[in-house]
Amino acid sequence: MKRSRPAAGELLVEQPSLFPSSPIAVPGTLLHAGVDEAGRGPLAGPVAVAAVVFCPDRPRLNGLDDSKALTAAKRELLYDRIIERALAYSIVMVDVAQIDSLNIFQATMQGMRQAVEGVAHVAQFARIDGNKVPKGLPCPAEALIGGDAIDRAIMAASILAKVSRDRYMLELHQQHPEYGFDQHKGYGTPAHLAALKAHGPCLEHRRSFAPVRDALASRSQ
């Protein structure tokens, strides 16, 4: 099951967490969703979040790893294989308007809630990469630091999130080639900062991030 990109300004009503955020002992036979994100640090573009559920009775997918440890070509190849092999998956893009409205941490937590909701029809619990569990999840969950190097479902989620976001930034490059989004994917590289200073921010730049605010301020003087 694949979730479409939320509309700008769409918010979820946050409910009190129904389940503990501390690690929980879960039998290996239960179906779990691995959850990871891509794009918390860039100055532009959405943050992407994915959740993946594998069936333990199916053959393991070879080649999985943390998306950062894989080449772009390998991630693209695995992306299609994950989609084919997963029992369920969900990809959520939290746009710049929501990032600026909520802050990047809360926007990421929102994306994780939506991603888990997208696979909740099969997932009996969720493992979240990192040290925080979002509130209001539809199933029990635990945070797993370094999970993208440990848990295969989290590895798969990291690949889906990374590939989806990179594709988005390549499309954005076609609209705004002056920023070089195809090269840095929105991260604050020297080339990106120079382009930001020369051209000012576009609508996809995160105005809640200091370098973008500074670029806006310098152009208004």
Side-chain angles (χ1 to χ4, degrees):
M1 177 178 181
K2 184 174 180 179
R3 292 290 301 271
S4 60
R5 182 184 177 196
E10 177 186 351
L11 298 177
L12 294 181
V13 178
E14 184 172 313
Q15 301 292 337
S17 181
L18 301 177
F19 308 102
S21 59
S22 57
I24 53 179
V26 180
T29 55
L30 294 183
L31 293 175
H32 81 275
V35 184
D36 203 1
E37 53 76 24
R40 288 182 66 169
L43 307 180
V47 60
V49 184
V52 175
V53 181
F54 285 129
C55 178
D57 295 331
R58 295 178 182 175
R60 282 194 168 194
L61 179 60
N62 294 326
L64 291 178
D65 203 342
D66 175 7
S67 64
K68 297 183 290 295
L70 300 169
T71 65
K74 185 65 172 178
R75 288 194 297 265
E76 285 285 348
L77 179 64
L78 285 169
Y79 180 97
D80 291 334
R81 292 180 177 176
I82 292 165
I83 297 300
E84 293 172 0
R85 190 71 61 87
L87 184 62
Y89 72 96
S90 174
I91 303 169
V92 175
M93 305 289 271
V94 185
D95 65 22
V96 170
Q98 294 173 88
I99 292 171
D100 286 341
S101 173
L102 298 172
N103 74 47
I104 185 59
F105 173 75
Q106 293 298 338
T108 303
M109 294 296 102
Q110 173 178 297
M112 287 180 172
R113 283 193 296 272
Q114 290 179 287
V116 174
E117 287 171 356
V119 298
H121 59 295
V122 296
Q124 295 163 298
F125 79 105
R127 281 200 180 118
I128 314 291
D129 183 58
N131 61 359
K132 297 290 185 182
V133 172
K135 296 179 180 179
L137 292 180
C139 63
E142 65 176 348
L144 186 60
I145 296 173
D148 50 8
I150 302 171
D151 184 279
R152 295 175 61 80
I154 295 179
M155 293 176 190
S158 76
I159 293 167
L160 294 193
K162 174 64 174 170
V163 171
S164 296
R165 190 179 187 281
D166 283 356
R167 290 176 179 178
Y168 184 102
M169 298 308 293
L170 290 175
E171 292 178 5
L172 187 59
H173 175 72
Q174 300 302 314
Q175 303 172 39
H176 300 284
E178 65 272 20
Y179 298 106
F181 290 134
D182 61 328
Q183 298 298 313
H184 51 67
K185 307 302 188 294
Y187 283 89
T189 63
H192 188 189
L193 294 174
L196 193 57
K197 182 177 180 180
H199 303 288
C202 71
L203 292 178
E204 288 280 351
H205 278 98
R206 302 173 182 179
R207 282 151 175 78
S208 55
F209 281 43
V212 180
R213 290 199 307 269
D214 293 344
L216 276 172
S218 65
R219 294 181 70 83
S220 64
Q221 293 175 354

